[in-house]
């Protein structure tokens, strides 16, 4: 049973009557060297004596099996119940694995940690569906759970947005929010030919390492994260106009201008030029 060739995957799919689902954005990795590189990159950041990995979207288990050869424990969350019997077969040799059939966006991560990862240091590894990349990343970062690292494969354009910095064209609310929680870096690109079916885009593998001490300490974290969304709500418009659009039911435009001035920021600047420190000063002025 070869999980890294189109023929091997086709035979497995035929055995179980499986077909790819556009609904779940399924593209299975068939390049074993890339799969190994992702597993190695994940394990490089693992800490502690007992190491565990939380995998999101195992597919047919090609990456899962590589992770199982490195980590003491692997738990994979798979939304597609059609893949559960396939995974039972492909992961049968690995007693340290288990698959949870659930929508990851509905998973209670703190409960999952208590039930599955007690006593382990935990890393995350995933080939993320393009259409829910940001949602999954923010769920992980905002969960309050401690992760050694998140090694994630995403669409190349999404990767550029996630690791962008103030003033760059790709910089947006997701980049600002991610930079508050973790240090993000790009590891390598993965070409479309490494997948089955072949997507129309190039992918990139990122590593996010959560901060033990965040780079800024806002007075009100909830307001700070809301301010990030507000500042980017009207791209290419001035900060004052963006905030006025977002907070129009709460504050007058004059009041908003006063808040911006109190933070020491020019109200004519665009939100996508603001640093984390400036966004923190702005939310503190509101607070």
């Amino acid at each position: 049973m070869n999980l890294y060739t189109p023929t091997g995957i086709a035979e497995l799919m035929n055995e179980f009557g499986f077909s790819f689902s556009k609904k779940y954005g399924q593209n299975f990795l068939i390049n074993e060297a890339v799969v190994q590189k992702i597993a190695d990159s994940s394990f490089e950041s693992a800490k502690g004596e007992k190491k565990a990995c939380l995998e999101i979207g195992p597919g047919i288990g090609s990456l899962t099996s590589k992770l199982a050869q490195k980590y003491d424990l692997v738990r994979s969350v798979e939304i597609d119940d059609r893949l559960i019997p396939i995974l039972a077969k492909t992961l049968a040799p690995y007693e340290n694995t288990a698959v949870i059939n659930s929508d990851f966006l509905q998973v209670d991560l703190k409960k999952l940690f208590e039930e599955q990862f007690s006593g382990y240091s935990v890393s995350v590894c995933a080939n993320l569906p393009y259409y829910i990349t940001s949602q999954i990343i923010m769920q992980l970062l905002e969960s309050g759970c401690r992760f050694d690292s998140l090694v994630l494969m995403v669409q190349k354009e999404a990767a550029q947005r996630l690791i962008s910095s103030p003033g760059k064209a790709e910089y947006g609310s997701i980049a600002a929010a991610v930079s508050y929680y973790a240090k993000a870096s790009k590891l390598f690109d993965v070409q479309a030919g490494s997948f089955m079916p072949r997507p129309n885009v190039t992918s990139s593998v990122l590593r996010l390492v959560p901060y033990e001490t965040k780079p800024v300490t806002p007075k009100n974290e909830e307001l700070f994260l809301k301010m990030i969304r507000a500042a980017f709500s009207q791209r290419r418009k001035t900060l004052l106009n963006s905030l006025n659009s977002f907070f129009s039911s709460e504050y007058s435009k004059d009041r908003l201008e006063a808040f911006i001035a109190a933070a020491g920021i020019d109200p004519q600047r665009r939100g996508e030029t603001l640093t984390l420190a400036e966004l923190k000063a702005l939310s503190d002025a509101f607070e």
Side-chain angles (χ1 to χ4, degrees), residues 48-64:
E49 292 185 7
K50 297 173 66 178
K51 301 176 177 64
C53 185
L54 169 60
E55 183 190 21
I56 305 165
I60 58 173
S62 57
L63 175 58
T64 320

Side-chain angles (χ1 to χ4, degrees), residues 76-245:
S76 304
V77 180
E78 175 55 57
I79 189 173
D80 191 345
D81 55 9
R82 300 174 305 151
L83 286 168
I84 302 305
I86 296 178
L87 288 164
K89 177 175 181 174
T90 61
L91 299 180
Y94 307 102
E95 295 183 357
N96 58 339
T97 66
V99 179
I100 300 162
N101 184 199
S102 180
D103 178 352
F104 185 78
L105 292 176
Q106 303 301 319
V107 170
D108 182 334
L109 283 175
K110 288 191 175 180
K111 183 178 180 182
L112 179 68
F113 261 57
E114 292 172 3
E115 295 177 349
Q116 301 289 337
F117 297 123
S118 179
Y120 289 86
S121 63
V122 183
S123 302
V124 175
C125 194
N127 172 15
L128 293 181
Y130 299 146
Y131 68 102
I132 52 172
T133 293
S134 297
Q135 291 171 266
I136 289 178
I137 289 174
M138 293 313 300
Q139 179 180 353
L140 289 163
L141 294 177
E142 293 177 344
S143 68
C145 299
R146 294 192 59 138
F147 299 108
D148 290 343
S149 72
L150 289 70
V151 171
L152 310 170
M153 183 157 59
V154 303
Q155 186 175 341
K156 185 175 181 179
E157 288 74 12
Q160 291 170 337
R161 290 194 296 270
L162 286 162
I163 64 175
S164 190
S165 55
K168 292 186 177 179
E170 300 88 354
Y171 186 62
S173 59
I174 184 65
V178 166
S179 69
Y180 172 63
Y181 287 104
K183 179 178 176 57
S185 58
K186 178 178 169 180
L187 300 181
F188 53 89
D189 289 332
V190 181
Q191 300 304 314
S194 294
F195 297 90
M196 178 183 176
R198 183 187 180 108
N200 295 320
V201 297
T202 300
S203 299
S204 297
V205 176
L206 303 180
R207 177 184 284 125
L208 277 60
V209 180
Y211 292 117
E212 291 187 12
T213 302
K214 293 185 176 73
V216 296
T217 309
K219 293 178 180 178
N220 182 324
E221 184 176 73
E222 184 178 352
L223 177 60
F224 170 69
L225 294 171
K226 185 177 181 180
M227 189 60 61
I228 290 176
R229 295 194 299 273
F232 292 94
S233 63
Q234 298 284 323
R235 290 187 68 84
R236 291 178 291 280
K237 289 194 175 182
T238 66
L239 177 62
L240 177 58
N241 284 336
S242 292
L243 297 189
N244 186 51
S245 174

